Amino acid sequence: MQNILLPVFYLPPVSWFSEFLNDENEISLEQSENFPKQTYRNRCNIYGANGKLSLIIPINHNGNRDYKSIEMSYRENWPNLHWKSIKTAYQSSPYFEYYEDKLVKIFEMREKFLFDFNLKSLETIQQILKTEKAYSLNTEYRKIPEGVDFRDSFSAKKESEYEAEEYYQTFSDKLGFIKDLSIIDLLCNKGPESVTYIRNVNK
């Protein structure tokens, strides 16, 4: 077993789940860091009709940088907008209807803090995947943590270093395969095969 320190993301990419669900990894989630901008902590990528579409959770800029204290902004109804985008993107996919009732509950939550929202969303995804992967939350920020540090390993701006087999995506006939999107994309297109797929993703 190796200790792995993972960041807490919004509906994380498939590559994140390949580390999270690896039986060789003992997972600790980072809860003590300062909030870095423009990362998957408040955004996820799905496959829209025109290609990759980023769904971004707006945050309240109150000067606080502690991730656990970052508040989501509801000045615009982003949960409704994100759900509409997901529904538009995936309603014709093989498994969307199968998971719709569980997925919509993520967007009915009105959590105050982004960190809490992301953790509760992860619970829902684990229920859908039928996994019960245990994890712990770290207790303090360490620049050089014990174990393997994955806090900067998943970039929302650069191409993923992870390789995986292509699968059919809703718009791939038109625009080709887009790798390492949010877990939502995999679930809606691969359904019960998602966990097996995740276990075959390699860095």
Side-chain angles (χ1 to χ4, degrees), residues 98-99 102 124-133 187 192 195:
Y98 192 63
Y99 300 130
K102 282 193 172 125
T124 300
I125 298 299
Q126 285 229 70
Q127 287 168 13
I128 293 171
L129 289 169
K130 296 183 176 170
T131 56
E132 294 181 347
K133 177 77 177 193
L187 282 171
V195 172

Side-chain angles (χ1 to χ4, degrees), residues 32-140:
S32 306
E33 65 181 352
N34 279 340
F35 178 74
K37 295 175 183 174
Q38 297 186 314
T39 71
Y40 289 124
R41 287 159 183 82
N42 69 319
R43 74 183 60 207
C44 69
N45 291 327
I46 63 170
Y47 202 147
N50 297 311
K52 189 185 289 185
L53 175 65
S54 288
L55 304 179
I56 301 170
I57 299 175
I59 59 173
N60 283 329
H61 296 282
N62 54 13
N64 201 325
R65 294 206 47 220
D66 174 32
Y67 184 6
K68 275 178 70 182
S69 303
I70 295 290
E71 295 178 18
M72 298 181 288
S73 169
Y74 290 99
R75 280 190 290 275
E76 56 184 84
N77 190 357
W78 66 264
N80 190 40
L81 293 170
H82 285 201
W83 178 243
K84 273 187 177 170
S85 296
I86 289 168
K87 196 165 184 175
T88 301
Y90 296 110
Q91 58 192 356
S92 62
S93 67
Y95 294 98
F96 178 76
E97 282 186 15
Y98 192 63
Y99 300 130
E100 182 177 4
D101 290 347
K102 282 193 172 125
L103 289 173
V104 73
K105 285 178 182 168
I106 292 172
F107 300 94
E108 290 169 349
M109 295 191 289
R110 285 298 183 271
E111 294 293 324
K112 182 177 182 181
F113 298 107
L114 175 64
F115 184 85
D116 296 340
F117 173 80
N118 285 345
L119 270 193
K120 288 194 174 175
S121 301
L122 177 60
E123 281 176 30
T124 300
I125 298 299
Q126 285 229 70
Q127 287 168 13
I128 293 171
L129 289 169
K130 296 183 176 170
T131 56
E132 294 181 347
K133 177 77 177 193
Y135 59 82
S136 60
L137 300 175
N138 69 350
T139 53
E140 61 179 350

Side-chain angles (χ1 to χ4, degrees), residues 137-176:
L137 300 175
N138 69 350
T139 53
E140 61 179 350
Y141 179 80
R142 291 186 181 178
K143 192 168 184 180
I144 302 172
E146 292 176 20
V148 188
D149 184 357
F150 278 88
R151 289 173 297 188
D152 298 319
S153 294
F154 309 93
S155 172
K157 296 175 134 190
K158 292 187 292 193
E159 187 175 345
S160 172
E161 296 176 0
Y162 289 76
E163 294 300 329
E165 196 179 317
E166 293 187 12
Y167 57 88
Y168 179 79
Q169 294 167 311
T170 315
F171 302 106
S172 56
D173 285 349
K174 180 178 152 193
L175 298 164

